[in-house]
Amino acid sequence: NRLYGDLKMSYDELARTQAELVRHERLAALGELAAVMAHEVRNPLAVIRSAAQGLGEAAPEDDAEALRASRFITEEIDRLNSVITSLLAFARPPQLQPHPVAVGELFDRALLLARDELAAKEVRVQRQEPADLPPVRADADLISQVLLGLLANAAESVPVGGEVSLRARAVDGAVEMAVADSGPGVSPELRERIFEPFFTTRARGTGLGLAIAKQIVEAHAGRIVLSERPGGGAQFTLLLPAAGGAALAA
């Protein structure tokens, strides 16, 4: 039994290593593709955007069709640039600059950046973090980016006047941060795929936002999981080591 257990552990470790190598190879190929896209596509897009803006500015104020076409072109080019930026962000491993940072500071930054999306839906925000909560050792910009993305997703999911909560607590040498919403939630069959690259349920989504969030959190030796919010809705939970703590167990 002991020999069987050792062999099974060795096999499992080998399988994990092989899967990791395959993932790195795919990321390397994606990185090359994204770099080519950034180089070959962004410059022409910038020229087209500038021309579209110029046409819109030169069009008579009563030419609604020309103004609409100019606005449509610039918006679509901005969307394509956002896709390229997402590809580059996913293909390149996060470069961390970690330092001890208060969770309240991360919440402040994320809520400030998500202010417009939350206000547009008249979202009620509940926030809770204990005064004695330990800081996390994190890259404040990157973790704020993750929280911003989760808040933006939550604002999109909830109905007008819905509720989003942002909570934190200390858990066994780590800090747990949760973003929950009162939207329809995520069906169990989709939860297993929600962090997969390029998987999205949106008509115009890239499917990279949550995959990038997972990359960032795992680069901090942390974890991110999706669960159901008590009372209905979705809840994303980040678990990060407290400043001075050890990496979390897998």
Side-chain angles (χ1 to χ4, degrees), residues 86-225:
S86 295
L87 278 171
L88 288 170
F90 179 71
R92 296 172 178 172
Q95 301 298 312
L96 304 186
Q97 296 182 348
H99 61 276
V101 56
V103 171
E105 179 184 333
L106 297 172
F107 282 5
D108 287 342
R109 293 175 65 174
L111 286 169
L112 178 63
L113 293 170
R115 178 177 54 190
D116 291 344
E117 288 94 334
L118 296 169
K121 296 286 285 286
E122 301 177 9
V123 174
R124 303 188 310 275
V125 177
Q126 289 191 355
R127 173 175 170 174
Q128 181 181 353
E129 72 261 23
D132 59 350
L133 195 66
V136 293
R137 182 168 179 80
D139 185 307
D141 290 336
L142 291 176
I143 295 300
S144 295
Q145 174 188 325
V146 172
L147 292 172
L148 168 61
L150 296 178
L151 286 170
N153 287 347
E156 185 173 340
S157 298
V158 299
V160 173
E163 181 179 291
V164 170
S165 65
L166 196 57
R167 304 178 187 276
R169 61 173 184 154
V171 182
D172 298 329
V175 174
E176 181 182 279
M177 291 176 274
V179 179
D181 65 68
S182 61
V186 180
S187 61
E189 60 269 20
L190 295 184
R191 285 181 208 162
E192 308 233 343
R193 302 190 59 197
I194 202 72
F195 294 106
E196 288 182 9
F198 307 109
F199 176 76
T200 181
T201 57
R202 299 176 184 173
R204 297 169 65 85
T206 63
L208 286 173
L210 289 173
I212 292 171
K214 185 173 187 287
Q215 266 191 342
I216 291 172
V217 172
E218 290 182 348
H220 284 79
R223 294 197 298 272
I224 180 171
V225 296

Side-chain angles (χ1 to χ4, degrees), residues 40-60:
E40 299 292 337
V41 177
R42 270 184 165 163
N43 287 341
L45 285 178
V47 174
I48 297 169
R49 191 184 195 283
S50 178
Q53 279 186 312
L55 290 173
E57 291 167 0

Side-chain angles (χ1 to χ4, degrees), residues 37 41-42 44-50 52-53 67-85 203-206:
M37 287 181 62
V41 177
R42 270 184 165 163
L45 285 178
V47 174
I48 297 169
R49 191 184 195 283
S50 178
Q53 279 186 312
L67 294 173
R68 186 197 68 80
S70 172
R71 184 170 59 252
F72 174 78
I73 293 170
T74 55
E75 288 175 353
E76 286 301 295
I77 288 174
D78 289 343
R79 186 178 68 85
L80 289 173
N81 270 317
S82 176
V83 171
I84 294 171
T85 299
R204 297 169 65 85
T206 63

Side-chain angles (χ1 to χ4, degrees), residues 18-30:
Q18 186 178 24
E20 189 67 15
L21 287 172
V22 170
R23 190 177 75 88
H24 280 298
E25 288 177 359
R26 288 178 177 171
L27 285 179
L30 180 59

